[in-house]
Amino acid sequence: MKSQDIRAKFLSFFEEKQHSIVPSAPMVLKDDPTLMFVNAGMAPFKEYFLGNAEPKNKRITDSQKCLRVSGKHNDLEEVGYDTYHHTLFEMLGNWSFGDYFKEEAIAWAWELLTEVFGIDKDMLYVSVFEGNKEDGLEMDTEAFDIWKKYISEDRILTGDKKDNFWEMGDQGPCGPCSEIHVDIRSAEEKAKVPGKDLVNQDHPQVVEIWNLVFMQYNRKANGSLESLPNKHIDTGMGFERLCMVLQGVQSNYDTDVFTPIIKEIETITNKTYRKDEKVDVAIRVIADHVRAVAFSIADGQLPSNTGAGYVIRRILRRAVRYGFTFLDKKEPFIYRLVDVLDKKMGKAFPELKAQKQLVENVIKEEEQSFLRTLDQGLVLLNRIVEETKGDTVTGAKAFELYDTYGFPIDLTALILSEKDLKLDEAGFNEELQKQKDRSRAASESSTGDWTTLIEDDVEEFIGYDALQANVKLTRYRKVSSKKDGDMYQLVFNLTPFYPEGGGQVGDKGYLEDAYGDVVYILNTKKENNVIIHFTETLPKHLNEGFKVVVDEKQRHRTECNHTATHLLHQALRSILGTHVEQKGSAVHSKYLRFDFSHFSKLTEDEIRDVESFVNARINGKIPLVEKRNIPKEEAIAAGAMSLFGEKYGDTVRSIQFGQSIELCGGTHVKNTADIWHFKIVSEGAVAAGIRRIEAITSDAVKDFYSENNRLFFEMKGLLNNAKEPIKALQNLQEENTSLKKQIEALLKDKAKNIKGDLKSELTEINGIQFLAKKLDLDAAGLKDVAFELGGEVENLFLLFATENEGKALLSCYISKDLVASKGLNAGQVVRELGKFIQGGGGGQPFFATAGGKNPEGITQALAEAKKYVG
């Protein structure tokens, strides 16, 4: 059975059981601070489990893309070395939100596996929770008794909290679970060792295939459990493992999920799978990682140096490294696998097909960038090898190469072993642990439990229509972090404060009680469908009413910028072409940032045209047309654009200004005239095929022009109030260029003139003509005089120094015959002597320079030079 058919059969089975099929949510979570990526099928539905929202259908089924590369659930290092762990995997799931429970979940799981998919019952084992004294939980006898209806008791195993109590993190929804395991070993192997002895023992042919989680508790901050308002079902089946079982193979990588990718890798690299274990691991790593990276980019997460983007970059670089080291690929090739991936999975996941070109472009550029890093790293590693005394490279040096330049440690170890050198792995790990400890300390935080004051199921957002309201505090909790210290999170029964989302920052403002006490609201965010207000202090009178007020000035500036992003999007599509799509945005009160797909840098004329387009709509005084809670299909049919990587519900809000119509939950001006003016301040590249515009509106534009005006008159004053300041500036530049040429000529003459004097100062030491001296020349002059002398004197060793504007410079020249016969190296000399001037440098063995910030160290550097020839 083909993988596409397996996925379809799973979904249709539960559709027949009155489950609504929903598409996979984007893998990058935007309103859950506890998770960076969707790491389990339940993550997009946390708000339903917590009771913060009501699902449209209480029964849901899907195939959710999941990523497990960080935090508690991290399978990255296993990927490629075994046959069943992946970074990205599909989790087939069926969900019940307060509807059916254990009886139905177990019955349907058994029916699907044994009757619909036809898996032999004798291949299956199941497990139930054995209980836990610390949590005060008894054995899950309810699940045990239900399983006895379908499978013999000797195939029902008990498991501890680690294996049979599912928790997403330290806090949140959780519950006992029943795992279903499959034994795909041969009859001979089964006769030797019973399958039940290998369950949860990391055996590659005895693996968990499905987990039925009975979600009935909430883990509180103090570690205790409380019952959820309703009991839920959350199941997750590994799609790739199911394909392995149903296709009768012994590895996920032998299923048709991966074989087309593996065949393409073989074709591109001229390597053969299953001939060499190191090559096999590399091919599996690349086949796995390209899926994770491609889907992340398609879902809106571009590689970067921070957060989720850094994780994606790290995964891709891991793939590049394996290709570089074990498949001999020194040029980009992983981007070429996206076409195969699209043909295989594009139908089930249309976002991949829609973003295919972008995905290929970004991966190719990232590959090129990292390959350049590897080349630079090889040069630096060779330098480290040259400087190493003995047979071991220190862990600190290797860590610097890894941390500063991104050079992989295992590649360092491999190259060193080829040069008969060792790596101080213990020292490296010590440095790495120090960095992790520093990072952990900086981000360490704790979140208390909610203190509930009023039971309130629905928190109403009224911020589209009001900037202040009389409210009640329904619950609060304390959060502490190294970065922000102690903070409080407040939830009201209703709020006019817009929570950060859709690129727009959260509102600020204050709350005031009846006694005149004021508490400032510093930020507003949304977590699992709850709007949370951040304060440094807790209100004194918690159970009384409050007046809450949004900072009107900041809100207005933010609304101007958000509305401008819509007009900017329209302008770019009109001027550059309809290939332009929004790829991200950041809307602050002071500026806006807009990322979009486009293949080249905007010209000055294009930037001017974009500004004119937007300002024409501002001057046109176009009113806002807003539609709330309309069916998504109706909004799309009316021409509304949906945005890259966003998750939309069944009903949406559309924002229209003339011909610009977008789905958007942000706040906007009532009329484009409120924006006053729009000005682009920068345009540049973010990634391959992605450009970024930063712009300002309203008061910020006034400040911009006021500052420019001030600078203009200041500059004009320096030009003696010339009537034509531009022409006067051009004349100055021409005069400056002419004077520079004259100075260079004079310095060259000076260098030639002092050559004779310097020649007479040479001292012979051990057959070497030596001179170390400070000269009143610039860098070019030092080089000229060194090479002039080098052309006339054999066996020459020169160290020249100069001082200019508080900076020091060393130049070292060594005759090439000395480099060859004595093993001297100018680059090594300046690196060592550069320490005295608090700097560094390098160059070639016969000529090198070093710069530093301590001219007082020149004397000592010159004195130390003699040791190289003495």
Side-chain angles (χ1 to χ4, degrees), residues 134-150:
E134 288 180 15
D135 287 331
L137 297 174
E138 301 292 329
M139 176 180 165
D140 190 355
T141 54
E142 182 185 0
F144 187 89
D145 291 338
I146 296 170
W147 277 119
K148 285 196 297 185
K149 299 176 186 178
Y150 305 102

Side-chain angles (χ1 to χ4, degrees), residues 144-170:
F144 187 89
D145 291 338
I146 296 170
W147 277 119
K148 285 196 297 185
K149 299 176 186 178
Y150 305 102
I151 192 170
S152 60
E153 282 192 44
D154 66 330
R155 288 178 171 269
I156 306 174
L157 314 175
T158 56
D160 59 13
K161 186 175 174 181
K162 175 179 173 287
D163 291 323
N164 280 91
F165 193 88
W166 199 91
E167 300 191 66
M168 190 165 209
D170 296 330

